[in-house]
Amino acid sequence: MGLSKTERKQRIRRRIRKVSFGTEARPRLAIFRSNKEIYAQLIDDNKGVTLAAASSRDKDVDAKGTKSEVATAVGKAIAEKALKLGVEAVAFDRGGNLYHGRVKSLAEGAREAGLKF
């Protein structure tokens, strides 16, 4: 019998995390996508700390429109926070999700706002 959807996603997540590692100069941009919301964090894996975070639940993020439009706004918000910290390049961690839909919208929003990955 094949793997369940969550088991398959966990395998993909572990495989991504083997190669995606965040440092202070180039933190990891980790994405978590639930059914309703989307979250993004900049993580320094050397120290084990979150440098910045943005989500669709934040007050400063415009949560109007479709889920993809909201994801783009979250991408722009995390990019602005990163640039304030002096971070220009990140390692992208899609968190086991396909690079499609909301994850892609968030990445494109972050690129538009000035992040490189």
Side-chain angles (χ1 to χ4, degrees):
M1 192 161 131
L3 296 173
S4 71
K5 189 174 182 179
T6 55
E7 290 170 335
R8 189 173 65 243
K9 189 173 179 179
Q10 286 297 329
R11 267 196 190 176
I12 294 168
R13 182 176 287 148
R14 281 194 299 270
R15 191 169 56 233
I16 291 169
R17 288 285 290 117
K18 282 183 194 174
V19 296
S20 178
F21 190 81
T23 61
E24 192 171 355
R26 188 182 172 101
R28 179 168 52 98
L29 176 60
I31 308 296
F32 176 75
R33 183 182 60 89
S34 70
N35 286 339
K36 286 178 143 183
E37 313 289 345
I38 191 158
Y39 307 85
Q41 293 183 24
L42 291 174
I43 302 169
D44 177 4
D45 289 316
N46 284 334
K47 295 180 183 174
V49 294
T50 299
L51 303 173
S55 76
S56 55
R57 300 185 65 159
D58 290 347
K59 302 259 189 278
D60 57 341
V61 174
D62 184 31
K64 301 276 192 286
T66 64
K67 291 179 186 178
S68 293
E69 292 168 353
V70 171
T72 303
V74 171
K76 289 179 181 176
I78 194 70
E80 289 169 7
K81 290 180 181 182
L83 294 175
K84 283 182 185 175
L85 292 172
V87 174
E88 293 181 0
V90 296
F92 190 66
D93 177 7
R94 56 189 173 90
N97 300 302
L98 295 175
Y99 186 78
H100 181 268
R102 288 191 278 160
V103 174
K104 184 176 180 181
S105 296
L106 190 144
E108 289 172 353
R111 283 192 185 106
E112 285 176 19
L115 272 186
K116 294 183 180 89
F117 53 95

